[in-house]
Amino acid sequence: MQKILSVMRKACENYNLIEDGDKIAVGLSGGKDSLALLTALKRYQSFIDKKFELIAIAIDLSGGKNDYSAIKAYCDEINVELHIIPSNVFEVVFDIRKEKNPCSLCANLRRGLLNSHAKELGCNKVALGHHKDDLIETFLMSLFFEGRLSTFKPKTYLSRVDITVIRPLIYCDESEIIKISNNFPILYNNCPANKHTERENAKKILKNLDQIYPNAKEKIFNAIINPQRYNLFDKI
């Protein structure tokens, strides 16, 4: 956890992710990444010189069928208020819309619910558990499927809902989170598309690149976060 805290602090300072008076809602999926983020932010709260509030919001995609009792107990243990929001996202995506590529719609619906409930609870920021590997995988997916150079940002203001989305784990390798994942009450992912997504393919591509070209992942990451390294066509 010390390594995660170190790189998270660096990201927070570099991008001014956390400010005095913030009320931050952590989007708690129940997976290792969001639980690591919640735990790291709670520890960060104890020594940072800025004062901020922290809550957790879990969007139950299966209409209230998930068992959050272990996660609720964990949140109580670390003294974080947890809000569980039932939703019919899975029903809409898989039964009503019958999406062949469900991830995009699911993510949009989930984040819409997360942001709106965070606003209702008085939060001005939402923290998501995306890490370094997610950043690079999103870049590859955008390149291969959309033909554009794009990925998510460490900090994004959403004017429509007046919420700022932050990603404090942006410098963190997924391998560091895996090392501590046994400490968390991870919720089983009951998504019908689990392990059969384009993101899984991007993970495999990234892993293969790193085997063929040593440190490829790190070089791609540094190319993304350092604009001075860009050398693309200018607009005509």
Side-chain angles (χ1 to χ4, degrees), residues 157-183:
Y157 176 65
L158 305 177
S159 58
R160 187 175 61 82
V161 286
D162 190 30
I163 283 283
T164 298
V165 176
I166 60 174
R167 295 175 169 91
L169 297 183
I170 201 77
Y171 289 161
C172 183
D173 287 289
E174 184 177 23
S175 59
E176 293 297 327
I177 296 173
I178 291 172
K179 288 177 184 177
I180 63 168
S181 60
N182 287 337
N183 299 326

mmCIF file of all heavy atoms in Angstrom, residues 157-183:
data_model
loop_
_atom_site.group_PDB
_atom_site.id
_atom_site.type_symbol
_atom_site.label_atom_id
_atom_site.label_comp_id
_atom_site.label_asym_id
_atom_site.label_seq_id
_atom_site.Cartn_x
_atom_site.Cartn_y
_atom_site.Cartn_z
ATOM 1 N N TYR A 157 -13.840 17.990 -15.685
ATOM 2 C CA TYR A 157 -15.030 18.667 -15.149
ATOM 3 C C TYR A 157 -16.222 18.394 -16.054
ATOM 4 O O TYR A 157 -16.155 18.617 -17.269
ATOM 5 C CB TYR A 157 -14.794 20.170 -15.033
ATOM 6 C CG TYR A 157 -16.027 20.926 -14.581
ATOM 7 C CD1 TYR A 157 -16.572 20.714 -13.312
ATOM 8 C CD2 TYR A 157 -16.666 21.823 -15.432
ATOM 9 C CE1 TYR A 157 -17.711 21.382 -12.896
ATOM 10 C CE2 TYR A 157 -17.800 22.511 -15.030
ATOM 11 C CZ TYR A 157 -18.321 22.276 -13.751
ATOM 12 O OH TYR A 157 -19.461 22.941 -13.344
ATOM 13 N N LEU A 158 -17.305 17.913 -15.465
ATOM 14 C CA LEU A 158 -18.533 17.628 -16.199
ATOM 15 C C LEU A 158 -19.527 18.747 -15.904
ATOM 16 O O LEU A 158 -20.180 18.764 -14.858
ATOM 17 C CB LEU A 158 -19.110 16.272 -15.776
ATOM 18 C CG LEU A 158 -18.157 15.066 -15.890
ATOM 19 C CD1 LEU A 158 -18.829 13.805 -15.361
ATOM 20 C CD2 LEU A 158 -17.696 14.866 -17.329
ATOM 21 N N SER A 159 -19.634 19.682 -16.834
ATOM 22 C CA SER A 159 -20.445 20.878 -16.596
ATOM 23 C C SER A 159 -21.932 20.553 -16.461
ATOM 24 O O SER A 159 -22.656 21.233 -15.720
ATOM 25 C CB SER A 159 -20.232 21.895 -17.726
ATOM 26 O OG SER A 159 -20.549 21.330 -18.986
ATOM 27 N N ARG A 160 -22.383 19.504 -17.161
ATOM 28 C CA ARG A 160 -23.819 19.187 -17.138
ATOM 29 C C ARG A 160 -24.308 18.828 -15.739
ATOM 30 O O ARG A 160 -25.437 19.159 -15.367
ATOM 31 C CB ARG A 160 -24.112 18.028 -18.110
ATOM 32 C CG ARG A 160 -25.586 17.721 -18.295
ATOM 33 C CD ARG A 160 -25.798 16.646 -19.350
ATOM 34 N NE ARG A 160 -25.157 15.405 -18.987
ATOM 35 C CZ ARG A 160 -25.683 14.502 -18.150
ATOM 36 N NH1 ARG A 160 -26.871 14.734 -17.589
ATOM 37 N NH2 ARG A 160 -25.052 13.399 -17.871
ATOM 38 N N VAL A 161 -23.459 18.153 -14.965
ATOM 39 C CA VAL A 161 -23.846 17.755 -13.613
ATOM 40 C C VAL A 161 -23.057 18.491 -12.538
ATOM 41 O O VAL A 161 -23.268 18.272 -11.347
ATOM 42 C CB VAL A 161 -23.685 16.232 -13.410
ATOM 43 C CG1 VAL A 161 -24.766 15.468 -14.132
ATOM 44 C CG2 VAL A 161 -22.307 15.758 -13.840
ATOM 45 N N ASP A 162 -22.141 19.371 -12.973
ATOM 46 C CA ASP A 162 -21.322 20.143 -12.042
ATOM 47 C C ASP A 162 -20.542 19.220 -11.095
ATOM 48 O O ASP A 162 -20.542 19.384 -9.877
ATOM 49 C CB ASP A 162 -22.196 21.111 -11.231
ATOM 50 C CG ASP A 162 -21.364 22.097 -10.417
ATOM 51 O OD1 ASP A 162 -20.247 22.442 -10.842
ATOM 52 O OD2 ASP A 162 -21.853 22.519 -9.335
ATOM 53 N N ILE A 163 -19.881 18.227 -11.690
ATOM 54 C CA ILE A 163 -19.071 17.263 -10.939
ATOM 55 C C ILE A 163 -17.705 17.157 -11.621
ATOM 56 O O ILE A 163 -17.613 17.133 -12.851
ATOM 57 C CB ILE A 163 -19.743 15.873 -10.919
ATOM 58 C CG1 ILE A 163 -20.896 15.839 -9.921
ATOM 59 C CG2 ILE A 163 -18.740 14.760 -10.595
ATOM 60 C CD1 ILE A 163 -20.508 15.729 -8.467
ATOM 61 N N THR A 164 -16.661 17.093 -10.816
ATOM 62 C CA THR A 164 -15.315 16.868 -11.348
ATOM 63 C C THR A 164 -14.919 15.422 -11.093
ATOM 64 O O THR A 164 -14.965 14.957 -9.947
ATOM 65 C CB THR A 164 -14.286 17.803 -10.690
ATOM 66 O OG1 THR A 164 -14.627 19.163 -10.994
ATOM 67 C CG2 THR A 164 -12.876 17.524 -11.218
ATOM 68 N N VAL A 165 -14.574 14.704 -12.149
ATOM 69 C CA VAL A 165 -14.137 13.311 -12.038
ATOM 70 C C VAL A 165 -12.622 13.284 -11.909
ATOM 71 O O VAL A 165 -11.908 13.911 -12.700
ATOM 72 C CB VAL A 165 -14.570 12.495 -13.274
ATOM 73 C CG1 VAL A 165 -14.028 11.072 -13.199
ATOM 74 C CG2 VAL A 165 -16.096 12.479 -13.386
ATOM 75 N N ILE A 166 -12.128 12.578 -10.890
ATOM 76 C CA ILE A 166 -10.685 12.462 -10.687
ATOM 77 C C ILE A 166 -10.276 10.991 -10.680
ATOM 78 O O ILE A 166 -11.067 10.122 -10.326
ATOM 79 C CB ILE A 166 -10.223 13.145 -9.382
ATOM 80 C CG1 ILE A 166 -10.904 12.521 -8.156
ATOM 81 C CG2 ILE A 166 -10.483 14.649 -9.435
ATOM 82 C CD1 ILE A 166 -10.378 13.042 -6.812
ATOM 83 N N ARG A 167 -9.028 10.752 -11.082
ATOM 84 C CA ARG A 167 -8.495 9.393 -11.132
ATOM 85 C C ARG A 167 -7.136 9.370 -10.412
ATOM 86 O O ARG A 167 -6.082 9.421 -11.053
ATOM 87 C CB ARG A 167 -8.375 8.932 -12.588
ATOM 88 C CG ARG A 167 -9.723 8.807 -13.299
ATOM 89 C CD ARG A 167 -9.554 8.465 -14.770
ATOM 90 N NE ARG A 167 -10.812 8.083 -15.394
ATOM 91 C CZ ARG A 167 -11.639 8.946 -15.992
ATOM 92 N NH1 ARG A 167 -11.333 10.236 -16.041
ATOM 93 N NH2 ARG A 167 -12.762 8.518 -16.548
ATOM 94 N N PRO A 168 -7.157 9.283 -9.098
ATOM 95 C CA PRO A 168 -5.918 9.388 -8.315
ATOM 96 C C PRO A 168 -4.919 8.249 -8.528
ATOM 97 O O PRO A 168 -3.742 8.395 -8.177
ATOM 98 C CB PRO A 168 -6.416 9.397 -6.864
ATOM 99 C CG PRO A 168 -7.836 9.869 -6.952
ATOM 100 C CD PRO A 168 -8.340 9.286 -8.235
ATOM 101 N N LEU A 169 -5.358 7.111 -9.087
ATOM 102 C CA LEU A 169 -4.451 5.966 -9.284
ATOM 103 C C LEU A 169 -3.817 5.957 -10.677
ATOM 104 O O LEU A 169 -3.289 4.932 -11.101
ATOM 105 C CB LEU A 169 -5.193 4.652 -9.046
ATOM 106 C CG LEU A 169 -5.740 4.415 -7.640
ATOM 107 C CD1 LEU A 169 -6.393 3.032 -7.551
ATOM 108 C CD2 LEU A 169 -4.653 4.546 -6.577
ATOM 109 N N ILE A 170 -3.859 7.074 -11.365
ATOM 110 C CA ILE A 170 -3.419 7.143 -12.759
ATOM 111 C C ILE A 170 -1.953 6.735 -12.948
ATOM 112 O O ILE A 170 -1.552 6.266 -14.010
ATOM 113 C CB ILE A 170 -3.656 8.569 -13.313
ATOM 114 C CG1 ILE A 170 -3.717 8.578 -14.831
ATOM 115 C CG2 ILE A 170 -2.635 9.545 -12.796
ATOM 116 C CD1 ILE A 170 -4.987 8.086 -15.393
ATOM 117 N N TYR A 171 -1.107 6.888 -11.910
ATOM 118 C CA TYR A 171 0.306 6.513 -11.989
ATOM 119 C C TYR A 171 0.579 5.108 -11.448
ATOM 120 O O TYR A 171 1.726 4.665 -11.415
ATOM 121 C CB TYR A 171 1.169 7.492 -11.182
ATOM 122 C CG TYR A 171 1.314 8.881 -11.770
ATOM 123 C CD1 TYR A 171 1.725 9.945 -10.970
ATOM 124 C CD2 TYR A 171 1.068 9.135 -13.113
ATOM 125 C CE1 TYR A 171 1.885 11.223 -11.492
ATOM 126 C CE2 TYR A 171 1.212 10.413 -13.641
ATOM 127 C CZ TYR A 171 1.628 11.452 -12.825
ATOM 128 O OH TYR A 171 1.783 12.717 -13.356
ATOM 129 N N CYS A 172 -0.474 4.425 -11.007
ATOM 130 C CA CYS A 172 -0.301 3.149 -10.302
ATOM 131 C C CYS A 172 -0.383 1.951 -11.252
ATOM 132 O O CYS A 172 -1.341 1.814 -12.015
ATOM 133 C CB CYS A 172 -1.370 3.020 -9.218
ATOM 134 S SG CYS A 172 -1.225 1.522 -8.223
ATOM 135 N N ASP A 173 0.617 1.077 -11.197
ATOM 136 C CA ASP A 173 0.583 -0.163 -11.973
ATOM 137 C C ASP A 173 -0.461 -1.115 -11.387
ATOM 138 O O ASP A 173 -0.567 -1.259 -10.158
ATOM 139 C CB ASP A 173 1.948 -0.851 -11.943
ATOM 140 C CG ASP A 173 2.976 -0.123 -12.786
ATOM 141 O OD1 ASP A 173 2.861 -0.158 -14.014
ATOM 142 O OD2 ASP A 173 3.905 0.482 -12.195
ATOM 143 N N GLU A 174 -1.192 -1.792 -12.245
ATOM 144 C CA GLU A 174 -2.181 -2.756 -11.778
ATOM 145 C C GLU A 174 -1.528 -3.842 -10.914
ATOM 146 O O GLU A 174 -2.135 -4.340 -9.966
ATOM 147 C CB GLU A 174 -2.901 -3.404 -12.956
ATOM 148 C CG GLU A 174 -4.014 -4.354 -12.537
ATOM 149 C CD GLU A 174 -4.770 -4.938 -13.708
ATOM 150 O OE1 GLU A 174 -4.199 -4.985 -14.818
ATOM 151 O OE2 GLU A 174 -5.925 -5.352 -13.522
ATOM 152 N N SER A 175 -0.288 -4.180 -11.212
ATOM 153 C CA SER A 175 0.411 -5.227 -10.452
ATOM 154 C C SER A 175 0.526 -4.863 -8.970
ATOM 155 O O SER A 175 0.509 -5.751 -8.108
ATOM 156 C CB SER A 175 1.801 -5.476 -11.038
ATOM 157 O OG SER A 175 2.583 -4.289 -11.025
ATOM 158 N N GLU A 176 0.651 -3.569 -8.662
ATOM 159 C CA GLU A 176 0.742 -3.141 -7.268
ATOM 160 C C GLU A 176 -0.590 -3.351 -6.544
ATOM 161 O O GLU A 176 -0.616 -3.683 -5.350
ATOM 162 C CB GLU A 176 1.153 -1.667 -7.192
ATOM 163 C CG GLU A 176 2.567 -1.384 -7.666
ATOM 164 C CD GLU A 176 3.625 -2.069 -6.811
ATOM 165 O OE1 GLU A 176 3.403 -2.214 -5.597
ATOM 166 O OE2 GLU A 176 4.664 -2.468 -7.363
ATOM 167 N N ILE A 177 -1.683 -3.163 -7.264
ATOM 168 C CA ILE A 177 -3.007 -3.373 -6.667
ATOM 169 C C ILE A 177 -3.256 -4.864 -6.448
ATOM 170 O O ILE A 177 -3.803 -5.276 -5.418
ATOM 171 C CB ILE A 177 -4.097 -2.763 -7.568
ATOM 172 C CG1 ILE A 177 -3.909 -1.249 -7.658
ATOM 173 C CG2 ILE A 177 -5.494 -3.100 -7.042
ATOM 174 C CD1 ILE A 177 -4.828 -0.561 -8.649
ATOM 175 N N ILE A 178 -2.836 -5.679 -7.409
ATOM 176 C CA ILE A 178 -3.003 -7.127 -7.288
ATOM 177 C C ILE A 178 -2.288 -7.653 -6.042
ATOM 178 O O ILE A 178 -2.796 -8.551 -5.354
ATOM 179 C CB ILE A 178 -2.485 -7.836 -8.557
ATOM 180 C CG1 ILE A 178 -3.399 -7.523 -9.746
ATOM 181 C CG2 ILE A 178 -2.409 -9.350 -8.348
ATOM 182 C CD1 ILE A 178 -2.891 -8.013 -11.089
ATOM 183 N N LYS A 179 -1.144 -7.069 -5.722
ATOM 184 C CA LYS A 179 -0.351 -7.524 -4.566
ATOM 185 C C LYS A 179 -1.123 -7.418 -3.260
ATOM 186 O O LYS A 179 -0.897 -8.211 -2.339
ATOM 187 C CB LYS A 179 0.939 -6.703 -4.456
ATOM 188 C CG LYS A 179 1.986 -7.011 -5.515
ATOM 189 C CD LYS A 179 3.195 -6.092 -5.343
ATOM 190 C CE LYS A 179 4.219 -6.310 -6.444
ATOM 191 N NZ LYS A 179 5.361 -5.367 -6.324
ATOM 192 N N ILE A 180 -2.005 -6.437 -3.147
ATOM 193 C CA ILE A 180 -2.724 -6.229 -1.883
ATOM 194 C C ILE A 180 -4.197 -6.632 -1.970
ATOM 195 O O ILE A 180 -4.952 -6.434 -1.018
ATOM 196 C CB ILE A 180 -2.621 -4.758 -1.426
ATOM 197 C CG1 ILE A 180 -3.300 -3.830 -2.447
ATOM 198 C CG2 ILE A 180 -1.169 -4.344 -1.229
ATOM 199 C CD1 ILE A 180 -3.492 -2.414 -1.951
ATOM 200 N N SER A 181 -4.607 -7.179 -3.104
ATOM 201 C CA SER A 181 -6.028 -7.450 -3.328
ATOM 202 C C SER A 181 -6.613 -8.480 -2.362
ATOM 203 O O SER A 181 -7.827 -8.474 -2.113
ATOM 204 C CB SER A 181 -6.263 -7.891 -4.773
ATOM 205 O OG SER A 181 -5.538 -9.073 -5.069
ATOM 206 N N ASN A 182 -5.771 -9.347 -1.808
ATOM 207 C CA ASN A 182 -6.275 -10.349 -0.850
ATOM 208 C C ASN A 182 -6.776 -9.715 0.441
ATOM 209 O O ASN A 182 -7.464 -10.370 1.234
ATOM 210 C CB ASN A 182 -5.186 -11.374 -0.523
ATOM 211 C CG ASN A 182 -4.925 -12.327 -1.675
ATOM 212 O OD1 ASN A 182 -5.780 -12.528 -2.530
ATOM 213 N ND2 ASN A 182 -3.737 -12.912 -1.708
ATOM 214 N N ASN A 183 -6.442 -8.458 0.650
ATOM 215 C CA ASN A 183 -6.881 -7.765 1.866
ATOM 216 C C ASN A 183 -8.300 -7.218 1.745
ATOM 217 O O ASN A 183 -8.847 -6.721 2.735
ATOM 218 C CB ASN A 183 -5.932 -6.594 2.171
ATOM 219 C CG ASN A 183 -4.507 -7.038 2.426
ATOM 220 O OD1 ASN A 183 -4.282 -8.114 2.982
ATOM 221 N ND2 ASN A 183 -3.541 -6.231 2.016
#
